[in-house]
């Protein structure tokens, strides 16, 4: 046997290996991705075991070259997997000794740093939330900075190496990339997510090499020294920034009705990859109806660009090699203009590789090219493996390659290459487009459900309708930008046509978004479910033997039951569950009992974007599908700034407020409270005033209002805050809002039984002698404190609450308390489970 394995390889064996090379590179890409996954989720970061394992299997690769190629491929796959695990561990968990991130603590630190600007400054509004109109702070200036020195107290610089994202609280004079920066401000480490479903900005910043955020309070603390002799990198960065600014002007100039911000945001996203705040609402509509992929520059956009360029140059005669070089140059210039994201890079690499094939007269194997581009991009940003953009980009492309031809032949037969008439060619295109849209939808839906908890049943027909329109918009946009450079007057007519096309697309999407069933919310499935669903899709398309079809449909039914199991009304569930979501300096409590869901307060004083960035994703991840009632304890912005976002995201029936809140809206008809009530009325939410003595039942829990008096005026809004006693399964919960001394005294002297097992610490944990007396009277076993870091750092409750378990959002993130039917209390934390 040993002698047989040592025989030289025959020509047949060599041909067999040649045939499997594309499959080999695909297997290596999958192995590298698997290794990144193992390294990402390993309980303790380790590198050397992975490197040793990789080296050992590489030795086996060399040894196994005398055996069959399958052994070599298997050892190479394991070695690649180990390399992936080691690489992601190094990138995500290890900090260099001279990195500023390794020197700083979790709390903000005042520092002075020196370095160079990586891009020109950008002026932006601070918030885009529904109450952003009442953020009276001036816009802030942002730019990335490469730091090379940390200035000590003695004024001596210490060499460091890191990147920071700088926010200046005021407007500043413009400067260019490469200019020297001396900045003094508060260094903040990027915090990890505090709520389920919240975007992980910490890992995102780490993947970009950014140690954190530097907040500069005054422009005088930022000293800019223009570079007199910029290097090549600085020149390229400045040239890039200049081109990007001008490209926006080339695209959006000479468009009619300059106030059409949604139209301009759509065109900027389609053609330049720019995603500004004006796109937020429209982008959500595109995502709900299944057309979000059109807003992310990808292979489709670059394919239209490359095809348009080839169409123009074909008028010069038959195909020539310089046509490929022209496409490569055009794509490279386009990649400089747009904001670089993973789908853009993947599409750019593949388009340029296909153009090289045109140059050298060769055909490239697309599967191998996709796998190679995936490995290259994961070497650059291994964290991207877990983002929906990366997964959708590669999975959909692979689905189109493998599944679209099969679906096309199964449903419509083989393509008619001899179609002559226009009607025949349109029919062929429609068949191919339907098969492609169905293949993309089948692949994208499990991934979309995993990341967003939703699916778009109308995605296939809408894609077929939208693709021609978007293709025309892209072609007109490319031509308009070119004409704006060469012949500005000629771009006027094209600007009108481009505007009309964009308005038509927006109208179609917004109209479909109002159709019931255009977007279907589903429980967030597990990653295993999504992978099994993708396997089932591939199995179904491959059309198994007749005897396997019954097993196939049984497997489909099992997947559906698994997905919908959390929605089935099985069992009674807990008598009461309270989720305290982390919003910084603010409050939001999600209270559920039976099938009833109540939100008590929803706002943040730190960020008026908390509704979209934190609360809505967290509530969806926690399985909320509708909200029966929103309770607003009192008219302070940090308790209601996110209410309208929740109403827009969920089916909300009623809002309960205090009479004092209604009185404030009447007294200030142009203030934020009146704006809130108008927004609720416009959204068909009934607003009811409640006060002391009100009693309601939600699920298996009874709610009793203990404060405020309905007819009493309070000097401070906090003292008019609601205090509610919730009773379920023999236990009591006391929600206190922001009550202060006067309200506490009234409750203590009013003969009310304040005893409770669980209580909300009043006014986010504001400490004073009367508050201590109030908490001692309640005598809780569990205390909930929703607060930010500023109050938590100067906490004075530790010695008072020695006999209670305290859950604090600043420390623990989102927390929950659950009371079962027997009255047993359980609790948990998101950050410190």
């Amino acid at each position: 046997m040993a002698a047989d394995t040592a025989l030289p390889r025959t020509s047949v064996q060599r041909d067999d290996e040649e045939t499997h090379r594309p499959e080999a590179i695909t297997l290596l890409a999958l192995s590298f991705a698997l290794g990144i996954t193992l390294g990402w989720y390993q309980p303790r970061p380790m590198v050397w075991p992975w490197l040793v394992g990789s080296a050992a299997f590489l030795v086996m690769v060399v040894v196994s070259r005398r055996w069959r190629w399958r052994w070599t491929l298997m050892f190479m796959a394991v070695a690649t997997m180990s390399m992936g695990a080691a690489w992601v561990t190094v990138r995500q968990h290890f900090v260099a000794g001279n990195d500023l991130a390794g020197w700083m603590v979790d709390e903000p630190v005042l520092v002075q740093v020196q370095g160079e600007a990586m891009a020109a400054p950008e002026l932006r509004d601070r918030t885009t939330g529904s109450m952003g109109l009442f953020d009276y702070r001036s816009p802030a200036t942002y730019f990335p900075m490469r730091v090379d020195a940390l200035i000590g107290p003695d004024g001596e610089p210490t060499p460091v190496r890191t990147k920071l994202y700088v926010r200046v609280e005021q407007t500043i004079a413009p400067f260019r990339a490469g200019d020297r920066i001396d900045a003094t401000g508060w260094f903040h480490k990027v915090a990890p997510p505090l709520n389920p479903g919240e975007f992980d900005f910490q890992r995102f910043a780490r993947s970009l090499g950014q140690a954190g955020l530097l907040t500069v309070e005054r422009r005088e603390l930022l000293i800019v020294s223009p570079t007199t002799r910029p290097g090549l990198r600085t020149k390229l960065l400045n040239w890039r920034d200049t081109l990007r600014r001008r490209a926006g002007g080339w695209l959006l100039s000479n468009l009619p009705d300059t106030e059409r911000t949604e139209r301009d945001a759509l065109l900027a996203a389609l053609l330049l990859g720019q995603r500004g705040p004006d796109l937020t609402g429209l982008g959500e509509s595109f995502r709900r109806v299944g057309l979000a992929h059109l807003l992310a520059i990808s292979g489709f956009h670059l394919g239209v660009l490359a095809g348009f360029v080839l169409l123009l140059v074909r008028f010069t005669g038959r195909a020539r090699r310089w046509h490929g070089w022209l496409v490569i140059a055009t794509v490279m210039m386009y990649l400089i203009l747009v904001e670089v994201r993973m789908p853009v890079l993947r599409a750019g690499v593949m388009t340029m590789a296909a153009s090289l094939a045109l140059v050298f007269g060769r055909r490239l194997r697309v599967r191998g090219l996709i796998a190679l581009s995936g490995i290259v991009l994961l070497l650059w940003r291994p964290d991207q493996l877990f983002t929906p953009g990366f997964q959708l980009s590669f999975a959909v492309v692979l689905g189109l390659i493998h599944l679209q031809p099969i679906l096309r032949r199964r449903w419509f037969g083989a393509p008619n290459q001899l179609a002559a008439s226009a009607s025949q060619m349109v029919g062929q295109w429609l068949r191919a487009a339907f098969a492609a849209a169905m293949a993309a939808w089948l692949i994208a839906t499990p991934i979309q459900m995993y990341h967003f908890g939703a699916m778009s049943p109308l995605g296939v027909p809408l894609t077929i309708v939208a693709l021609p329109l978007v293709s025309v918009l892209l072609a007109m946009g490319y031509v308009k930008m070119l004409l704006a450079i060469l012949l500005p007057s000629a771009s006027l007519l094209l600007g009108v046509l481009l505007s009309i096309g964009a308005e038509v697309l927006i109208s179609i999407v917004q109209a479909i978004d109002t159709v019931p069933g255009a977007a279907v919310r589903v429980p967030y499935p597990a990653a295993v479910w999504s992978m099994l669903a993708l396997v089932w899709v591939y199995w179904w398309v491959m059309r198994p033997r007749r005897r396997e079809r019954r097993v196939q449909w049984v497997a489909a039914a099992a997947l559906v039951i698994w997905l919908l199991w959390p929605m089935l009304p099985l069992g009674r569930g807990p008598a009461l569950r309270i989720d305290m979501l982390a919003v910084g300096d603010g409050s939001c409590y999600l209270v559920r009992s039976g099938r009833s869901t109540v939100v008590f307060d929803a706002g943040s004083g730190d960020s008026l974007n908390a509704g979209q960035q934190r609360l809505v994703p967290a509530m969806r991840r926690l399985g909320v599908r509708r909200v029966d009632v929103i309770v607003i304890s009192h008219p302070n912005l940090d308790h209601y700034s996110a209410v309208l976002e929740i109403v827009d995201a969920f089916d909300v029936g009623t809002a309960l407020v205090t009479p004092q809140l209604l009185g404030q809206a009447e007294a200030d008809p142009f203030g934020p409270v009146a704006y809130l009530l108008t927004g609720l009325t416009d959204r068909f939410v009934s607003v009811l005033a409640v006060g002391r003595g009100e009693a309601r039942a939600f699920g298996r829990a009874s709610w009793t209002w203990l404060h405020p008096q309905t007819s009493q005026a309070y000097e401070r809004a906090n003292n008019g805050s609601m205090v509610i006693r919730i009773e379920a399964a023999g236990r009591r919960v006391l929600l206190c809002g922001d009550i202060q001394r006067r309200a506490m005294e009234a409750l203590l002297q009013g003969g009310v039984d304040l005893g409770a097992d669980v209580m909300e610490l009043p006014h986010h944990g504001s400490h004073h002698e009367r508050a201590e007396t109030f908490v001692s009277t309640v005598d809780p076993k569990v205390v909930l404190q929703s607060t930010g870091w500023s109050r938590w750092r100067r906490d004075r409750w530790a010695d008072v609450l020695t006999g209670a378990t305290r859950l604090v959002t600043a420390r623990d993130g989102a927390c929950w308390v659950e009371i079962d039917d027997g009255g047993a209390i359980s609790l948990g934390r998101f950050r410190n489970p």
Side-chain angles (χ1 to χ4, degrees):
M1 180 64 68
D4 292 340
T5 56
L7 290 175
R9 292 172 294 175
T10 65
S11 60
V12 174
Q13 289 174 318
R14 286 194 296 270
D15 292 343
D16 188 44
E17 292 184 13
E18 192 73 23
T19 301
H20 284 81
R21 279 180 185 172
E23 301 301 333
I25 190 66
T26 302
L27 178 61
L28 294 182
L30 293 174
S31 301
F32 192 65
L34 176 60
I36 290 175
T37 304
L38 293 175
W40 187 275
Y41 289 107
Q42 61 184 331
R44 186 173 58 185
M46 58 181 184
V47 174
W48 285 109
W50 293 115
L51 292 178
V52 170
S54 178
F57 281 102
L58 285 176
V59 171
M60 295 299 297
V61 168
V62 176
V63 174
S64 66
R65 289 182 65 84
R66 297 175 57 86
W67 307 342
R68 290 185 176 274
W69 65 269
R70 290 183 178 85
W71 287 100
T72 303
L73 187 59
M74 182 185 69
F75 291 136
M76 190 66 189
V78 178
T80 306
M81 180 191 70
S82 302
M83 290 179 189
W87 177 241
V88 73
T89 305
V90 170
R91 287 294 304 268
Q92 292 295 124
H93 296 286
F94 287 91
V95 179
N98 63 345
D99 194 325
L100 189 63
W103 298 7
M104 297 301 173
V105 296
D106 291 335
E107 298 182 6
V109 178
L110 185 64
V111 298
Q112 181 182 359
V113 295
Q114 293 178 347
E116 68 175 26
M118 299 175 62
E122 180 182 357
L123 190 66
R124 296 206 306 262
D125 290 332
R126 297 172 183 267
T127 182
T128 59
S130 61
M131 306 300 291
L133 180 66
F134 302 97
D135 186 351
Y136 300 114
R137 298 172 297 175
S138 61
T141 307
Y142 299 83
F143 66 92
M145 174 183 177
R146 182 179 287 105
V147 177
D148 52 40
L150 175 66
I151 309 302
D154 56 357
E156 292 297 321
T158 301
V160 296
R161 181 183 178 185
T162 193
K163 298 175 185 176
L164 294 177
Y165 200 61
V166 182
R167 180 181 68 200
V168 186
E169 302 288 7
Q170 298 174 338
T171 58
I172 60 175
F175 54 82
R176 306 181 70 184
D179 288 349
R180 295 294 300 176
I181 302 293
D182 187 311
T184 302
W186 292 94
F187 172 82
H188 306 258
K189 275 190 173 181
V190 182
L194 298 176
N195 298 287
E198 187 176 325
F199 182 76
D200 194 340
F201 284 101
Q202 185 183 68
R203 282 182 172 172
F204 177 72
R206 190 178 297 165
S207 68
L208 296 177
Q210 293 178 353
L213 174 70
L214 182 69
T215 301
V216 181
E217 296 182 351
R218 301 193 312 275
R219 62 174 66 92
E220 293 81 10
L221 299 176
L222 185 79
I223 302 173
V224 181
S225 302
T227 302
T228 56
R229 299 182 61 184
L232 178 61
R233 183 182 66 181
T234 300
K235 292 180 179 178
L236 290 175
L237 289 175
N238 287 324
W239 180 64
R240 179 205 64 185
D241 291 344
T242 302
L243 274 181
R244 288 183 176 179
R245 288 195 299 270
R246 290 181 178 178
W250 297 333
L251 175 64
L252 302 178
S253 61
N254 299 324
L255 295 182
D257 190 8
T258 56
E259 297 299 321
R260 299 295 297 174
T261 54
E262 279 192 343
R263 177 205 61 195
D264 294 351
L266 173 65
L267 292 174
L270 277 176
L271 288 139
L272 299 175
Q274 299 175 0
R275 306 182 72 86
D278 293 327
L279 187 68
T280 302
L282 185 61
E284 283 295 309
S285 296
F286 269 78
R287 184 178 64 79
R288 283 192 293 267
V289 301
L291 295 180
H293 58 283
L294 297 180
L295 296 181
I297 294 178
S298 59
F300 166 68
H301 299 69
L302 291 183
V304 172
L305 176 62
F308 185 68
V309 171
L310 289 176
L311 180 64
L312 292 179
V313 299
R314 284 296 172 87
F315 288 110
T316 63
R318 63 186 180 86
R320 299 181 183 275
R321 290 189 174 185
W322 67 268
H323 294 176
W325 289 118
L326 180 61
V327 171
I328 292 174
T330 304
V331 170
M332 291 183 66
M333 179 63 67
Y334 187 63
L335 292 179
I336 293 173
L337 289 179
V338 303
E339 295 185 15
V340 178
R341 290 186 173 89
M342 193 61 63
V344 183
L345 289 177
R346 191 266 309 159
V349 169
M350 293 187 61
T351 304
M352 287 188 286
S355 301
L356 285 174
L358 177 64
V359 169
F360 295 107
R362 297 175 61 92
R363 288 181 61 87
L364 297 180
R365 296 185 181 273
V366 180
R367 287 177 296 180
L369 183 59
I370 293 173
L372 182 60
S373 64
I375 292 175
V376 171
L377 295 177
L378 288 177
L379 283 171
W380 174 53
R381 292 276 302 276
D383 64 294
Q384 288 293 302
L385 177 64
F386 307 100
T387 62
F390 183 92
Q391 294 173 8
L392 288 169
S393 176
F394 279 88
V396 169
V397 170
L398 289 172
L400 291 174
I401 294 172
H402 288 277
L403 306 185
Q404 190 268 353
I406 300 174
L407 293 176
R408 171 70 171 80
R409 288 193 301 270
R410 180 189 301 180
W411 292 336
F412 308 110
N416 181 11
Q417 304 292 345
L418 303 178
S421 66
S423 61
Q424 288 177 336
M425 288 188 288
V426 170
Q428 291 295 314
W429 180 87
L430 286 174
R431 293 181 179 93
F434 181 81
M438 180 58 73
W441 185 83
L442 288 171
I443 294 296
T445 295
I447 301 174
Q448 182 186 18
M449 292 166 67
Y450 172 74
H451 286 284
F452 305 112
M455 61 180 296
S456 305
L458 302 180
V460 173
L462 271 180
T463 299
I464 296 174
V465 172
L467 275 180
L469 178 56
V470 173
S471 300
V472 173
L473 285 176
L474 291 174
M476 287 195 300
Y478 299 142
V479 174
K480 184 182 183 303
M481 286 190 286
L482 185 61
L483 288 178
I485 302 172
L486 304 177
L487 195 61
S489 59
S491 66
L492 286 171
L493 177 60
L494 207 55
V496 174
L497 297 176
L498 191 63
S499 177
I500 293 173
E503 295 287 356
V504 170
L505 181 60
I506 292 174
S507 300
I508 292 174
V509 171
Q510 291 179 338
I512 297 298
D513 193 26
T514 61
V515 175
V520 178
R521 304 299 312 185
V522 297
Y524 282 88
V528 175
W529 185 94
S530 294
M531 289 187 287
L532 290 176
L534 290 173
V535 170
W536 186 91
V537 167
Y538 186 81
W539 183 24
W540 177 77
V541 173
M542 289 294 114
R543 202 168 190 174
R545 298 171 186 174
R546 181 170 299 180
R547 64 187 182 188
E548 296 178 359
R549 291 179 185 174
R550 182 176 299 177
V551 178
Q552 185 182 67
W553 291 112
V554 169
L559 286 172
V560 172
I561 293 174
W562 184 1
L563 174 68
L564 301 180
W565 188 265
M567 298 174 58
L568 299 178
L570 303 174
R572 289 164 55 85
L576 184 70
R577 178 182 171 109
I578 300 176
D579 289 276
M580 177 175 63
L581 303 180
V583 292
D585 291 317
S587 297
C588 183
Y589 295 88
L590 179 64
V591 185
R592 289 177 285 183
S593 177
R595 297 187 181 182
S596 294
T597 300
V598 179
V599 173
F600 178 76
D601 283 339
S604 173
D606 293 344
S607 171
L608 297 183
N609 298 324
Q612 284 296 336
Q613 292 182 352
R614 297 182 179 182
L615 298 184
V616 172
M619 292 170 66
R620 292 203 188 282
R621 185 64 68 170
L622 291 170
V624 176
R625 298 180 63 83
R626 69 180 307 274
V627 174
D628 298 283
V629 175
I630 288 184
V631 181
I632 303 172
S633 63
H634 65 293
N636 274 4
L637 193 61
D638 61 331
H639 288 253
Y640 64 81
S641 65
V643 165
L644 295 181
E645 278 88 347
I646 292 177
V647 172
D648 289 335
F650 303 96
D651 181 16
V652 179
T654 305
L656 301 181
V657 302
T658 63
Q660 290 77 13
L661 185 144
L662 296 179
Q664 181 166 329
E666 293 179 2
D668 185 8
F670 300 104
V673 177
Y675 183 85
L676 168 70
L677 295 180
T678 302
L680 291 173
T681 303
D682 292 343
R683 291 163 173 82
F684 304 103
V685 177
S686 60
V687 179
L688 303 177
V690 295
R692 180 171 181 173
E694 182 80 15
R696 290 173 177 259
F698 298 108
R700 303 199 301 276
S702 60
W703 292 49
T704 304
W705 273 254
L706 308 180
H707 193 75
Q709 298 282 358
T710 56
S711 58
Q712 185 173 346
Y714 296 90
E715 183 180 353
R716 291 188 175 183
N718 285 349
N719 282 320
S721 177
M722 291 181 183
V723 177
I724 303 173
R725 181 174 62 214
I726 305 175
E727 296 177 272
R731 298 288 188 176
R732 286 182 172 182
V733 176
L734 194 67
L735 300 178
C736 301
D738 275 2
I739 57 171
Q740 293 181 292
R741 287 181 175 86
R742 292 288 180 87
M744 293 179 188
E745 291 172 356
L747 288 166
L748 290 170
Q749 297 170 9
V752 179
D753 183 5
L754 297 174
D757 304 283
V758 181
M759 78 169 297
E760 174 193 12
L761 202 58
H763 197 196
H764 313 288
S766 179
H767 181 272
H768 46 82
E769 184 178 351
R770 180 58 65 187
E772 283 193 17
T773 303
F774 184 82
V775 173
S776 299
T777 303
V778 176
D779 191 23
K781 297 179 176 62
V782 180
V783 173
L784 305 175
Q785 183 179 0
S786 179
T787 188
W789 274 106
S790 57
R791 193 184 299 273
W792 174 240
R793 282 198 303 270
R794 57 179 190 270
D795 178 65
R796 296 168 58 189
W797 284 99
D799 296 333
V800 180
L801 299 173
T802 54
T805 301
R806 183 160 52 143
L807 305 176
V808 185
T809 54
R811 177 192 63 195
D812 305 319
C815 305
W816 56 268
V817 176
E818 199 168 89
I819 301 173
D820 66 17
D821 285 335
I825 300 176
S826 56
L827 51 86
R829 306 169 174 87
F830 179 69
R831 288 188 61 182
N832 304 295

